[in-house]
Amino acid sequence: MIRVKIYQPIFGGHFVLNDTLTDQHMLNVLAMNDPKGRILDSVEGNVAVAFCIFLGERLYECKQLVKVKQQVSFTTLFTRLYSNVAKICIDDTKPWDFELEEFAVFPNHQVSQVERAA
């Protein structure tokens, strides 16, 4: 297994890639979805890191969609939309390609109401 920590301007995450994922599969996914090689070039050809950035970008999209449809979790949405790319670990009883140990969307905003003095 490979552990990868990613910190991008819009998200951060800790990924664990299962040994079932091959470099060939990750390269095929990257080639189909990033034909200009933007992600792979940005990490100097490190396939696992590039693949995790790609996964993070898709997870980020799911997080944004879930803000609108709050009944669905972002991992469930990812599974529905991207199970052909990689299977996220829900539990160890089912086959999985990667596990998400931590994921955060940046910037984190917190808004609180301020009482105005009379």
Side-chain angles (χ1 to χ4, degrees), residues 23-82:
D23 281 354
Q24 187 60 47
H25 174 76
M26 292 186 280
L27 283 170
N28 285 342
V29 168
L30 290 168
M32 288 181 354
N33 294 282
D34 184 25
K36 293 184 179 182
R38 171 189 62 85
I39 299 171
L40 201 54
D41 286 347
S42 72
V43 293
E44 298 176 359
N46 188 315
V47 175
V49 173
F51 190 70
C52 288
I53 290 172
F54 173 78
L55 292 176
E57 289 174 352
R58 302 296 80 77
L59 286 162
Y60 175 82
E61 290 172 6
C62 291
K63 268 285 209 195
Q64 298 309 307
L65 290 171
V66 167
K67 285 181 180 178
V68 177
K69 291 180 137 184
Q70 294 181 353
Q71 313 89 307
V72 180
S73 75
F74 83 104
T75 54
T76 301
L77 184 59
F78 177 89
T79 300
R80 190 173 31 198
L81 296 175
Y82 300 108

